[in-house]
Amino acid sequence: MKDEKKIEKEDMEEQEINEEEINEKEAEEPEEDSCEDTIKQLEETLTQYKDKMQRMQADFENYKKRSEKEKSEFVKYANEGLILKVLEAYEDLERALEVKEDKNLREGVELIYKKMTKILEDEGVEEIETEHQKFDPYKHEALMTENNEDYENNEIIQDLQKGYTLNSKVIRYSKVKVCKK
């Protein structure tokens, strides 16, 4: 009997061990399935992020190309308004040259000069003053120097070519003769 009980006890222990192993295996299988599901979900998410990133990168490239095109178009046609204004004066000059009498020609050219002066002023162009001014290297370019008793040192003697500013920025320096003592 003792042997039978011992055998039964051993059988029961074996059965418990087998049940535990089965339970462990069953417990492992859902974990493997859940790990595989998680991996699949992560791979799908990664694929979605990659697609989204590629679309965003393509959108950005298109934006850069569009911006460069708009900028070049802007630069290309930036002076359109000014040119239209100058064309009016140009056509007036053409008509003035068609006149045969000197008196009318002079009056026509004066009108065109006044019109062009107004156009330039309206656009923000101003002439750089040189008469009785001290030489300023930020506004003037000295082409010649001369020792002259009528002028002070570094005073401009003569304006050789007019200079201009556009909205306070020098766009052409005045070319001048300067007194040097």
Side-chain angles (χ1 to χ4, degrees), residues 19 33 42 52 54 74 81 87 97-98 104 106 120 125 130 132 137 143 146 157 160:
E19 285 177 9
D33 287 342
L42 290 174
K52 187 175 182 179
Q54 288 173 343
F74 177 77
L87 280 175
L97 290 174
E98 291 174 3
N104 291 336
R106 173 88 179 153
L120 292 172
V125 176
T130 56
H132 302 295
L143 294 182
E146 182 180 299
I157 297 172
L160 302 172

Side-chain angles (χ1 to χ4, degrees), residues 5 44 70-71 86 110 128 154 161 165 169 175:
K5 284 185 180 181
E44 289 174 8
E70 288 172 358
K71 185 179 177 183
V86 171
E110 285 175 0
I128 297 174
N154 281 337
Q161 182 181 26
T165 60
K169 178 187 174 205
K175 296 185 182 352

Side-chain angles (χ1 to χ4, degrees), residues 6-20:
K6 200 175 185 183
I7 291 174
E8 278 180 33
K9 192 177 179 182
E10 286 177 5
D11 284 341
M12 285 176 64
E13 285 177 1
E14 266 185 52
Q15 220 174 12
E16 286 176 9
I17 291 173
N18 287 340
E19 285 177 9
E20 285 178 16

Side-chain angles (χ1 to χ4, degrees), residues 14-142:
E14 266 185 52
Q15 220 174 12
E16 286 176 9
I17 291 173
N18 287 340
E19 285 177 9
E20 285 178 16
E21 286 177 5
I22 290 172
N23 288 340
E24 285 178 12
K25 286 182 181 178
E26 286 177 1
E28 285 178 12
E29 286 176 11
E31 283 182 22
E32 286 179 14
D33 287 342
S34 68
C35 285
E36 287 176 11
D37 290 342
T38 305
I39 289 172
K40 286 179 183 177
Q41 288 174 348
L42 290 174
E43 286 175 348
E44 289 174 8
T45 305
L46 179 64
T47 303
Q48 290 173 352
Y49 283 135
K50 281 182 181 179
D51 291 343
K52 187 175 182 179
M53 185 187 74
Q54 288 173 343
R55 274 187 258 113
M56 288 176 68
Q57 191 172 17
D59 288 345
F60 181 69
E61 289 296 322
N62 290 337
Y63 168 77
K64 279 178 30 178
K65 289 175 185 175
R66 190 172 52 251
S67 294
E68 288 175 13
K69 182 180 178 185
E70 288 172 358
K71 185 179 177 183
S72 69
E73 289 287 317
F74 177 77
V75 169
K76 187 175 181 181
Y77 297 109
N79 293 328
E80 181 179 357
L82 177 62
I83 289 171
L84 287 173
K85 291 177 183 177
V86 171
L87 280 175
E88 290 177 27
Y90 175 77
E91 289 170 350
D92 289 343
L93 184 59
E94 189 175 19
R95 283 189 287 275
L97 290 174
E98 291 174 3
V99 174
K100 301 296 181 197
E101 297 177 27
D102 287 343
K103 182 181 177 190
N104 291 336
L105 178 65
R106 173 88 179 153
E107 289 174 9
V109 172
E110 285 175 0
L111 285 173
I112 295 167
Y113 180 76
K114 288 177 185 174
K115 192 175 204 177
M116 299 247 339
T117 301
K118 182 169 178 4
I119 290 170
L120 292 172
E121 286 173 356
D122 290 347
E123 293 297 318
V125 176
E126 294 179 11
E127 191 176 312
I128 297 174
E129 286 292 321
T130 56
E131 190 173 329
H132 302 295
Q133 298 287 318
K134 288 281 187 185
F135 176 76
D136 181 356
Y138 297 106
K139 294 180 182 177
H140 309 115
E141 182 179 343

